[in-house]
Amino acid sequence: MGNKARVALTGFAGFDNPEPGIGVAEALRSGWRGELEIDSLGYDAWQAGAWMHGHANRLHIIPPLALGAKTVFKRILEIHDQSPLDVLIPNLDLEVPVFSGLKPQLDKAGIQTLLPPQKSYQRTTKIGLPRFCYDNDILTPTTIHVQNIDEVPMYADSIGYPVMVKGSVAGAKKVNNSSQAYNDALKLHAQWGGGIILQNCIDEDEYCVAQVAREDGSCLGMVPMRKQGINRRGKAVVGSVVNAPDLERISLEILEKLQWRGPLELEFMRSNISGQFYLIEINCRFPSWIMLSAFAGCNLPVALLKEILTPGGKRLRRPNAGISFVRDTHDFVVCEKGFNKIERFGSVEALGSFPAKTTRKSNSKNKPVVAVTGISAFEEVLAGCGVSQALAQAPNRPRLLGLVYGPYDTSAHRPGTFEAIHRLPVEEDVEGLLANILNIQKRDGLDVIFPCIDFEIDRFLEIESELVANGVKVILPPAKAHARRGKFKLFSKRNKRDWGPLQLPLSKVVRKKKELKAAFEEFGFPIVIKGEMTGLNIAANPEEAKSIFLQMRDEGIETVLVQPFIQGDEFDFAAVCASDHSIIDGILIKKLSKNELGKNWGCATVNNPFLVDAISEFLKHLGWCGPVEVEMIRDVKNDCFVVVEVNPRFPAWISYGVQLGVNLPFLSMQRALGKDHSTSASNQRPIYMRSCETLMADPLDFATIATRGILQNGD
Amino acid sequence: MSNGIWRLNSRASLREGPNGDEGVLLDTYTADICSCNGTAWTILQIIKKGAAIKQIVAGVRKEYDVSMKVAERDVLSFVRKLKSMELVDGQ
């Protein structure tokens, strides 16, 4: 066999909650010595992590597991017959028992695996875990499996709040009252079936351990990690390898009691009071952060592959404690032909994707210095990620500075993009912001700033004239136009007229419960409830609407906008407007793939001159100038494009324009500097995609950003 | 506070900053990060090799123009802090 291997991996989708196959592929690519071919197996064409350049050699669509193991095996054999697979590593929870059950057939076909026996797998399910812990004296929080969703409030009350509501297979939400518990239980039960799990919330530090067990159940290697940066949806975006002998001992005991084979992830909470570790979950596959094992010198996916091909390998050395990861995102395009091929034929060579051409960084003093805010994918992908990628790909790229609000702003850790990172003050004091930016200008020189987060726009508008007086151009819309696009004003009567194919939705501004009731009595259900700056929720009935309204109030959102929910495809228009409010250039896209927040993770351009003309008239009416994003939904009932939002900045997908010959951030920069720049749209119509990417980070960088406020690239 | 030798234990890891006169103390058990100023960094460099309180105080006074009283107070306070974080062992 030598060092040549052809491996089939699953789990390349998942948006900002990436499936583990992406990390497994990254780790195999970084550590495998020898020829390695990776085939991705997914359930549709949107396997973004597999399309990402350098991950998979081939992509295949396999039938859903619900069609039965036989059907899945038949498709695997088809792929195997075309070009033989050596190894199969499933990376999704529901796949593990299916492929484990298929082991005799896979063995016979010459496809090797290392997977747990069914009995061991059953112990790790969310439903089986409490019993396993009880039988083996393993500390775990109080856990109740509730089959009848109507009983959820009663059991949640008995555990106390906050309580974790978990789906029978995946998904979890921390809730603070019985009404939230019930609503989230309904959603999770609808998604996964099998009732839901309520778990006492031990609100302390979270630790995870990734392991690989040999065929005989012994441990081949393990990597313990503490989650350091957890976003509002409970996902770890930043984590570090730890040196915790007691956690390692507990993990080894659990592995032995499970009689496991193959990859595994244990999730723990550590009580700050007792210091004890509580096992909260076992995942029967590698975690999505597994690339950290490669960064830390203990590459578990490589160890697994070696063990499958040549069993009996030596136990891996301990990982280097302190090595950290940050989960960032990467934008790229896939050629339309390749994308169509997998949809129509089920398989494709991954030649259709091509990497973004980042131009070489230039330290020339003649280059303009451009600072970009919103360079983070921590909570959601902010526009600065796309703006900085677009500027970095410009043929005459400027010198880039990243402006962050904290050490966990993810793109700050992307190598090769920014010359320096500067931390901006989080306080609302605009004087402090102005002083900070002028200091940056003194230190690094500064010609242009791109504010890319909605909440910053007002602050930057306040200091714009002083920045301009100091030679710093700011890419902003005019203050009056910005005020008109605010959600509460945008949908007012003043803006309602015949805009052709463009339409403004019915809307009500709601401050009290009574007004909420009046709104849903007028609109019916479902309705959308939005905050002025953040928050977007869909309610299907009065109870849910009231619960969302109260929850948003708890989060400090006093006034909300209520609109009827509109069903239809989503479209997005990004443009730059001139000072006479005409559109200089723009890109109209249709969203093809969205995450659970409805954000664009895959799209294609569309040609609709009538719509663009209508948007152009609307923007003129608003008095727009500078960058803008207009989000729309095409109402299936009347075929109109209903405006959902007008944003005073570029969208996060803006680097897509580079591949279309329309680099709008670069165009804005050039115009701000008084230089001519023309765009030349290409005839290519590639598909835009975004996938997560694990970056290595140094704790020293976190500390430097947090305390000194400046991180020089190369520090 | 023990008069014996104080030494950083295996949980503690030091990362030197770009200028060499300050850095980061990492608790590898919890992944907690402590940014250290010049004085703390000087003390950590001495404790890394193992030293008695008297030696640490002398080391600080060699680097900084401070009175014995101030140096002693700072060293004891910092070593106590390290002890509470379980990052040093004293004999």
Side-chain angles (χ1 to χ4, degrees):
Chain A
M1 188 72 64
N3 282 331
K4 192 177 171 186
R6 187 171 165 204
V7 187
L9 301 176
T10 66
F12 281 93
F15 308 113
D16 43 357
N17 183 17
E19 291 175 356
I22 304 168
V24 174
E26 285 174 330
L28 289 174
R29 287 285 184 216
S30 77
W32 184 256
R33 295 190 190 283
E35 202 179 316
L36 176 71
E37 290 193 23
I38 294 178
D39 285 53
S40 83
L41 309 177
Y43 300 97
D44 60 31
W46 290 100
Q47 307 167 36
W51 286 108
M52 205 158 128
H53 184 75
H55 282 183
N57 296 79
R58 279 165 294 275
L59 290 86
H60 310 277
I61 295 178
I62 59 171
L65 298 175
L67 293 185
K70 270 188 189 172
T71 313
V72 174
F73 180 63
K74 197 178 151 206
R75 175 68 181 130
I76 302 287
L77 273 191
E78 266 176 32
I79 296 164
H80 185 57
D81 285 346
Q82 282 166 17
S83 189
L85 298 166
D86 298 314
V87 171
L88 191 153
I89 303 174
N91 292 301
L92 300 177
D93 300 270
L94 288 176
E95 293 169 344
V96 172
V98 175
F99 286 110
S100 172
L102 286 170
K103 185 175 166 48
Q105 293 98 307
L106 289 166
D107 280 348
K108 206 173 158 191
I111 304 171
Q112 300 177 74
T113 56
L114 187 58
L115 294 168
Q118 297 287 342
K119 205 172 148 188
S120 303
Y121 166 77
Q122 289 305 332
R123 294 176 184 135
T124 67
T125 63
K126 288 190 173 68
I127 293 161
L129 187 63
R131 178 64 193 259
F132 169 73
C133 290
Y134 178 78
D135 289 345
N136 291 284
D137 289 330
I138 297 164
L139 275 179
T140 191
T142 305
T143 306
I144 303 172
H145 177 210
V146 186
Q147 295 271 19
N148 180 355
I149 303 304
D150 288 338
E151 292 174 356
V152 164
M154 180 179 78
Y155 286 114
D157 281 353
S158 74
I159 290 178
Y161 298 96
V163 68
M164 294 301 296
V165 181
K166 295 182 170 184
S168 63
V169 177
K173 189 110 189 253
K174 192 202 281 186
V175 299
N176 295 309
N177 56 55
S178 59
S179 157
Q180 282 176 16
Y182 181 66
N183 285 329
D184 283 309
L186 280 175
K187 284 177 197 159
L188 287 165
H189 180 62
Q191 191 174 1
W192 299 107
I196 61 103
I197 287 104
L198 293 174
Q199 194 168 63
N200 183 21
C201 195
I202 299 172
D203 224 355
E204 308 292 358
D205 297 332
E206 291 184 42
Y207 288 73
C208 296
V209 180
Q211 290 175 297
V212 175
R214 298 184 184 95
E215 182 75 35
D216 64 3
S218 61
C219 179
L220 180 62
M222 79 160 88
V223 177
M225 180 274 284
R226 185 188 149 201
K227 296 182 183 180
Q228 281 176 294
I230 301 172
N231 66 17
R232 272 186 232 121
R233 283 177 291 158
K235 305 297 170 194
V237 186
V238 182
S240 291
V241 174
V242 293
N243 170 19
D246 49 349
L247 179 61
E248 289 176 28
R249 183 181 44 74
I250 295 166
S251 301
L252 279 176
E253 282 171 17
I254 293 171
L255 193 73
E256 193 183 317
K257 283 166 182 166
L258 282 171
Q259 297 173 303
W260 199 256
R261 286 201 295 255
L264 182 75
E265 182 195 23
L266 307 174
E267 294 191 40
F268 296 92
M269 301 294 278
R270 182 174 179 263
S271 160
N272 279 345
I273 300 162
S274 66
Q276 286 180 306
F277 289 97
Y278 289 76
L279 180 67
I280 55 165
E281 212 160 294
I282 301 182
N283 299 312
C284 55
R285 35 98 191 140
F286 279 127
S288 57
W289 52 267
I290 198 63
M291 183 59 189
L292 180 65
S293 74
F295 294 151
C298 181
N299 193 323
L300 293 183
V302 166
L304 172 70
L305 182 54
K306 278 186 188 166
E307 186 65 18
I308 293 173
L309 294 170
T310 319
K314 281 185 184 168
R315 169 115 187 233
L316 299 188
R317 69 175 183 84
R318 274 195 167 158
N320 297 321
I323 300 289
S324 307
F325 80 90
V326 169
R327 182 171 296 140
D328 197 36
T329 56
H330 182 67
D331 298 354
F332 55 96
V333 292
V334 171
C335 86
E336 197 179 11
K337 210 171 150 189
F339 192 81
N340 288 341
K341 193 174 174 190
I342 192 173
E343 286 207 315
R344 300 188 71 83
F345 296 95
S347 294
V348 68
E349 295 280 329
L351 299 171
S353 69
F354 33 94
K357 290 175 200 146
T358 304
T359 46
R360 260 197 328 162
K361 214 166 54 176
S362 162
N363 290 325
S364 160
K365 296 290 172 206
N366 298 326
K367 301 269 183 187
V369 180
V370 177
V372 183
T373 73
I375 55 164
S376 183
F378 191 91
E379 291 293 349
E380 59 181 87
V381 185
L382 298 178
C385 299
V387 169
S388 55
Q389 284 190 42
L391 292 171
Q393 291 173 58
N396 195 16
R397 72 173 276 180
R399 294 167 58 198
L400 286 173
L401 304 177
L403 303 182
V404 300
Y405 287 95
Y408 294 162
D409 280 11
T410 58
S411 290
H413 303 278
R414 178 170 287 283
T417 303
F418 300 103
E419 280 186 22
I421 300 297
H422 292 267
R423 182 167 48 78
L424 295 179
V426 284
E427 301 82 29
E428 288 193 3
D429 154 39
V430 288
E431 295 299 321
L433 178 66
L434 177 66
N436 194 299
I437 292 170
L438 293 179
N439 275 338
I440 295 169
Q441 191 197 26
K442 207 180 281 176
R443 183 185 181 273
D444 288 333
L446 183 57
D447 300 297
V448 180
I449 297 184
F450 281 81
C452 291
I453 317 178
D454 293 346
F455 77 79
E456 295 171 329
I457 304 296
D458 283 321
R459 298 170 69 193
F460 274 98
L461 281 168
E462 273 189 66
I463 59 171
E464 185 184 11
S465 58
E466 288 185 70
L467 286 172
V468 171
N470 282 281
V472 182
K473 305 285 191 311
V474 194
I475 308 295
L476 284 172
K480 276 186 185 170
H482 175 57
R484 285 185 204 123
R485 55 62 62 187
K487 278 182 201 141
F488 297 153
K489 285 193 179 163
L490 184 67
F491 305 107
S492 65
K493 280 181 189 156
R494 182 188 178 275
N495 294 331
K496 287 201 176 157
R497 66 168 78 156
D498 183 7
W499 297 109
L502 200 67
Q503 209 175 57
L504 293 174
L506 296 169
S507 304
K508 272 196 186 300
V509 176
V510 167
R511 292 175 191 84
K512 296 171 188 165
K513 269 191 195 173
K514 218 196 300 180
E515 292 168 346
L516 177 72
K517 190 168 176 258
F520 62 65
E521 278 176 357
E522 183 180 335
F523 300 151
F525 283 98
I527 51 168
V528 179
I529 306 176
K530 296 175 183 177
E532 163 85 80
M533 297 299 284
T534 56
L536 190 154
N537 297 282
I538 297 166
N541 54 55
E543 288 72 34
E544 204 176 354
K546 282 175 203 161
S547 166
I548 289 168
F549 182 66
L550 293 175
Q551 198 176 328
M552 289 175 85
R553 271 204 170 167
D554 287 347
E555 290 163 10
I557 303 171
E558 293 289 332
T559 309
V560 297
L561 190 75
V562 178
Q563 296 173 331
F565 173 76
I566 296 157
Q567 185 76 42
D569 290 332
E570 291 184 30
F571 292 77
D572 217 351
F573 181 70
V576 178
C577 292
S579 50
D580 66 357
H581 317 307
S582 63
I583 291 172
I584 302 166
D585 213 335
I587 310 163
L588 179 65
I589 60 112
K590 180 180 176 180
K591 296 183 188 176
L592 300 174
S593 180
K594 293 175 288 176
N595 71 355
E596 63 177 20
L597 298 174
K599 304 292 177 188
N600 178 24
W601 279 64
C603 67
T605 49
V606 286
N607 189 17
N608 189 334
F610 298 112
L611 176 61
V612 172
D613 284 348
I615 297 171
S616 174
E617 285 305 307
F618 184 58
L619 291 173
K620 269 185 194 165
H621 167 77
L622 292 178
W624 207 268
C625 170
V628 68
E629 178 194 22
V630 182
E631 293 186 72
M632 297 155 284
I633 297 177
R634 187 178 201 163
D635 191 335
V636 286
K637 289 194 285 292
N638 61 14
D639 217 20
C640 273
F641 292 81
V642 180
V643 176
V644 179
E645 263 181 41
V646 173
N647 294 316
R649 45 148 181 88
F650 290 119
W653 53 263
I654 198 66
S655 71
Y656 178 37
V658 180
Q659 306 298 333
L660 305 170
V662 188
N663 190 334
L664 294 180
F666 191 67
L667 170 74
S668 292
M669 182 200 88
Q670 291 290 75
R671 288 184 66 87
L673 295 170
K675 293 176 187 170
D676 281 339
H677 177 72
S678 57
T679 53
S680 54
S682 87
N683 292 327
Q684 281 191 3
R685 287 287 174 270
I687 309 277
Y688 163 86
M689 280 190 200
R690 180 187 291 151
S691 181
C692 282
E693 190 176 13
T694 316
L695 306 178
M696 184 159 81
D698 188 336
L700 185 61
D701 290 350
F702 297 144
T704 307
I705 294 172
T707 57
R708 290 169 62 200
I710 302 168
L711 178 68
Q712 190 65 41
N713 196 3
D715 268 12
Chain B
M1 186 69 62
S2 161
N3 288 324
I5 302 294
W6 290 91
R7 187 172 274 120
L8 287 178
N9 64 27
S10 60
R11 272 176 66 158
S13 171
L14 301 181
R15 302 280 169 90
E16 195 172 84
N19 302 328
D21 56 355
E22 51 188 32
V24 164
L25 168 65
L26 180 70
D27 180 346
T28 62
Y29 183 85
T30 61
D32 285 337
I33 305 163
C34 308
S35 190
C36 303
N37 64 15
T39 315
W41 195 246
T42 301
I43 297 172
L44 286 169
Q45 293 302 317
I46 300 167
I47 297 183
K48 193 168 77 174
K49 295 168 195 157
I53 294 292
K54 271 185 186 172
Q55 290 168 300
I56 305 169
V57 171
V60 169
R61 292 195 69 207
K62 203 172 148 191
E63 287 286 322
Y64 298 94
D65 184 16
V66 286
S67 68
M68 176 69 92
K69 199 175 163 189
V70 170
E72 258 179 10
R73 188 194 63 199
D74 286 357
V75 167
L76 285 172
S77 154
F78 188 55
V79 173
R80 269 193 205 108
K81 176 82 183 159
L82 292 172
K83 197 173 173 228
S84 73
M85 292 168 74
E86 299 176 53
L87 296 176
V88 282
D89 297 323
Q91 292 165 359

